[in-house]
């Protein structure tokens, strides 16, 4: 289980990394909302901003400085926008910034709630609020995302690329325990494991074995497991079956785009990269990326970033303030027609941010 929040401090030092593309548009709205809720609940922040990004890579050859991790190690949390930009290969930007932070700071849980709000239309027929309400717990430090491997016989007919997945006992068990502890706090008390132990015949049967072992520690929690292919189909056809889903790094990444897409727009989905032991800062970022196609137009949807800010406050021990942000999002969707284009409206990123600020003030 996550360590309890350290005695919550009302003054928080946050490392801000807007990153690339729309990250630079949605992060200011997230901060505006956090400031507003701070004024209401007596919270204060020091925002230390870092320009770590693909733009920086293009100028200096590195996404962040060599001592980057040390510069943010002592912050209370990291508030990140989006990473990735055309011209810099995606694996270079990801492994140059996001993944070093996730791994060095042992943020081994990537927590992504999926929820259909009243007032938003699901692309799935006849789905209503309450039908889609589950959490994806994605393993965030190992699995299919590894640095083990290489190329052989390059430039010949025998050319080969090999990449080794890594599933450790500790790595599987700690993220699974987190999922079960989360399920204990939810109403339905259910955990589903995403597997593929028919085709991936070594690491996935091992994942299943660890899941069965951890499940025995939690007799009050109902469990199920599905191969990832049929699980993806069930998230479309039967999303109401699910409560907490625990998945490997890759499977969790895929499901946490699919899930939010069924709630109307992926842009509202928040994410938390959590170090449950609190030995290091955790990092909060929307699920969406830098969206080069709409970057600079001021039309990005800031809700994923704003909701990620709520997750950050909850992690830092300010649950009431976090709930006030989530409530403002609920009211915005249920009682107003302020929507960005991805949700069928005409509002700008700033207008949506301002609407949430107004609601948070109430
Ligand atoms: N805000 C999330 C973001 O920028 N994601 C970029 C990305 O490619 N993420 C891959 C991952 O989460 O593993």
């Amino acid at each position: 289980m996550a360590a309890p929040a350290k005695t919550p401090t009302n003054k928080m030092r946050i490392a801000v990394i807007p990153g690339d593309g729309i990250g630079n548009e949605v992060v200011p709205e997230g901060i505006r909302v956090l400031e507003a809720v701070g004024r209401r609940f007596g919270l204060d922040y020091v925002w230390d901003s870092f320009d770590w990004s693909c733009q920086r890579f293009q100028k200096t050859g590195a996404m962040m400085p060599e001592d980057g991790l040390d510069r943010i190690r002592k912050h209370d949390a990291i508030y990140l926008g989006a990473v990735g930009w055309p011209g810099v290969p995606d694996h270079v930007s990801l492994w140059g910034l996001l993944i070093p932070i996730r791994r060095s700071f042992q943020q081994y849980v990537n927590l992504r709630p999926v929820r259909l709000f009243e007032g938003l239309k699901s692309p799935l027929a006849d789905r209503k609020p309450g039908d889609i309400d589950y959490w994806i717990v994605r393993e965030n430090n190992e699995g299919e995302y590894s640095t083990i491997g290489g190329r052989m016989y390059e430039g010949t007919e025998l050319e080969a690329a090999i990449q080794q997945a890594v599933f450790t006992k500790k790595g599987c068990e700690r993220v699974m325990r987190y999922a079960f502890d989360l399920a204990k706090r939810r109403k339905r008390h259910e955990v589903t494991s995403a597997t593929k132990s028919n085709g991936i015949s070594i690491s996935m049967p091992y994942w299943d074995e660890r899941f069965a072992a951890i499940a025995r520690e939690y007799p009050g929690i109902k469990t199920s497991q599905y191969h990832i292919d049929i699980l993806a189909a069930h998230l479309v056809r039967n999303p109401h079956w699910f409560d907490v889903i625990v998945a490997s790094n890759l499977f969790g990444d895929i499901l946490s785009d699919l899930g939010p897409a069924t709630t109307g727009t992926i842009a509202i989905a928040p994410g938390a990269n959590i170090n449950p032991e609190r030995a290091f800062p955790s990092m909060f970022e929307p699920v969406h990326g830098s969206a080069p196609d709409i970057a600079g137009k001021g039309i990005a949807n800031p809700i994923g970033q704003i909701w990620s800010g709520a997750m950050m406050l909850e992690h830092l021990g300010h649950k009431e303030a976090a709930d006030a942000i989530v409530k403002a999002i609920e009211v915005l969707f249920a009682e107003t027609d302020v929507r960005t284009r991805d949700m069928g409206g005409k509002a700008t990123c700033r207008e949506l941010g301002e609407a949430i600020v107004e609601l948070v003030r109430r």
Side-chain angles (χ1 to χ4, degrees), residues 119-131:
L120 281 196
K121 192 164 161 38
S122 169
L124 309 180
D126 305 326
R127 289 296 168 197
K128 49 184 192 323
D131 289 348

Side-chain angles (χ1 to χ4, degrees), residues 4 15 19 30 66 76 104 107 136 175 190 226 310 334:
E66 256 177 52
D76 292 303
S104 304
Q107 296 165 350
I136 294 173
V175 75
E190 292 180 22
Y226 295 94

Side-chain angles (χ1 to χ4, degrees), residues 80-84 90 93-94 98-99 102 110 112 138 140 145 249 253 273 285-290 305:
L80 183 131
V83 178
D90 287 340
S93 52
L94 199 67
L98 220 47
I99 292 186
R102 288 175 178 167
N110 191 325
R112 296 178 162 183
R138 166 187 173 190
N140 211 29
Y145 288 26
N249 209 332
D253 193 16
N273 301 270
E285 53 161 341
V287 169
H288 68 70
S290 61
Q305 189 74 50

